[in-house]
């Protein structure tokens, strides 16, 4: 299977007075097409640092990160912004929906930023809403949605530019068990059906039977468990 995200000897340090915090110790990691990967571990262990590095939001202190064959370190700031728009879809713990935008506009706004045409966006947005079972909420505001519906909108927004890599940071934290499984199953189905890859940081070990691989983060060290 083709590798869509890779870390080659990647590490991240932060200066802290006279000492250095090793937020992520030297890490080798690969995520391939069709894989949903979970990263678990206690707060402060380095999970968010790894996800931010994978999303080109942080620059590593050393090592090489490649996304869909492109070395992130070789890109200019402008090219990294374009890469995030085109190749990476973000799903956060809180859906972070814009209060004054209808559901369909929450999704199309991200596509506009990537330069998609209005006709293309209308078609793709309608398709995603249908796929995720929320077509009847297209003209609703976030305040009129349930927690599960908000996360479905967040998933649609993450997918609108057809990214290679989906990064999900605690996507089920505010949901009950039933809605949590629903959200993770939706992410898994999208990954398998469209040959993307997804990395999910989670404390919710009830969802681990739905993923292909589990990694644990402890004190900045990433190890594969399954």
């Amino acid at each position: 299977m083709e590798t869509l995200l890779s870390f080659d000897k990647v590490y991240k340090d932060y200066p802290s007075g006279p000492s250095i915090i090793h937020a992520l110790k030297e890490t080798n990691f690969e995520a391939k097409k069709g894989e949903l990967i979970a990263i678990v571990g206690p707060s402060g262990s380095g999970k968010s640092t790894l996800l931010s590095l994978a999303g080109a939001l942080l620059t590593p202190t050393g090592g090489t990160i490649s996304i869909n064959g492109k070395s992130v370190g070789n890109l200019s700031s402008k090219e990294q912004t374009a890469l995030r728009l085109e190749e990476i879809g973000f799903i956060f713990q809180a859906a972070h929906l814009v209060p004054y935008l209808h559901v369909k506009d929450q999704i199309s706004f991200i596509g506009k930023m990537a330069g998609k045409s209005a006709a293309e966006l209308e078609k793709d947005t309608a398709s995603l809403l249908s796929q995720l079972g929320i077509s009847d909420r297209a003209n609703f505001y976030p305040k009129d949605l349930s927690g599960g519906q908000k996360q479905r909108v967040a998933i649609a927004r993450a997918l609108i530019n057809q990214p290679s890599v989906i990064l999900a940071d605690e996507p089920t934290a505010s949901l009950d068990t039933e809605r949590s499984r629903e959200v993770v199953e939706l992410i898994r189905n999208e990954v398998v059906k469209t040959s993307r890859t997804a990395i999910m940081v989670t404390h919710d070990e009830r969802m681990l039977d739905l993923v292909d691989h589990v990694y644990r983060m402890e004190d900045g060290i990433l190890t594969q468990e399954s």
Side-chain angles (χ1 to χ4, degrees):
M1 287 187 291
E2 185 182 340
T3 298
L4 294 179
L5 171 69
S6 70
F7 280 37
D8 182 20
K9 299 179 180 176
V10 173
Y11 63 97
K12 181 66 177 176
D13 295 337
Y14 292 102
S16 178
S19 59
I20 293 175
I21 296 172
H22 304 291
L24 181 69
K25 294 172 184 173
E26 192 171 290
T27 297
N28 295 306
F29 170 75
E30 286 189 344
K32 301 179 184 295
K33 277 186 175 181
E35 287 185 337
L36 172 57
I37 294 170
I39 299 176
V40 299
S43 297
S45 61
K47 303 187 305 297
S48 293
T49 297
L50 185 143
L51 213 64
S52 295
L53 288 164
L57 296 171
L58 283 179
T59 301
T61 305
T64 303
I65 300 172
S66 296
I67 297 172
N68 203 10
K70 300 170 189 171
S71 175
V72 178
N74 295 333
L75 303 177
S76 67
S77 178
K78 185 177 179 181
E79 287 170 332
Q80 286 190 9
T81 299
L83 180 79
R84 283 192 294 271
L85 268 174
E86 295 163 10
E87 297 285 2
I88 303 166
F90 294 95
I91 304 169
F92 300 102
Q93 177 176 337
H96 292 307
L97 303 182
V98 182
Y100 54 81
L101 287 181
H102 289 125
V103 163
K104 63 183 181 183
D105 298 323
Q106 306 273 351
I107 300 161
S108 61
F109 175 72
I110 301 298
K112 284 176 188 171
M113 289 175 66
K116 286 192 165 194
S117 70
E120 184 183 12
L121 273 175
E122 186 175 354
K123 178 185 171 189
D124 291 350
T125 298
S127 174
L128 279 169
L129 290 174
S130 173
Q131 221 168 289
L132 294 168
I134 48 173
S135 293
D136 60 341
R137 298 293 187 267
N139 292 306
F140 281 43
Y141 289 107
K143 66 180 178 63
D144 301 315
L145 303 176
S146 68
Q149 288 168 343
K150 287 177 183 176
Q151 279 297 52
R152 285 171 180 244
V153 176
I155 292 170
R157 186 178 57 190
L159 296 176
I160 189 64
N161 290 334
Q162 300 178 337
S164 302
V165 178
I166 299 166
L167 302 176
D169 189 4
E170 299 283 0
T172 64
S174 58
L175 304 176
D176 61 30
T177 301
E178 183 182 351
R179 295 292 174 267
S180 293
R181 288 194 74 81
E182 191 178 277
V183 164
V184 177
E185 283 169 353
L186 285 169
I187 295 171
R188 176 172 181 76
N189 290 342
E190 284 304 314
V191 164
V192 171
K193 186 169 63 179
T194 58
S195 295
R196 295 181 171 98
T197 190
I199 295 92
M200 176 178 69
V201 163
T202 185
H203 282 99
D204 193 347
E205 302 206 4
R206 298 169 301 174
M207 304 298 123
L208 297 186
D209 61 303
L210 296 172
V211 309
D212 297 294
H213 302 292
V214 178
Y215 287 79
R216 186 167 293 274
M217 183 73 81
E218 294 271 2
D219 299 322
I221 299 171
L222 185 71
T223 53
Q224 186 170 356
E225 290 197 337
S226 64

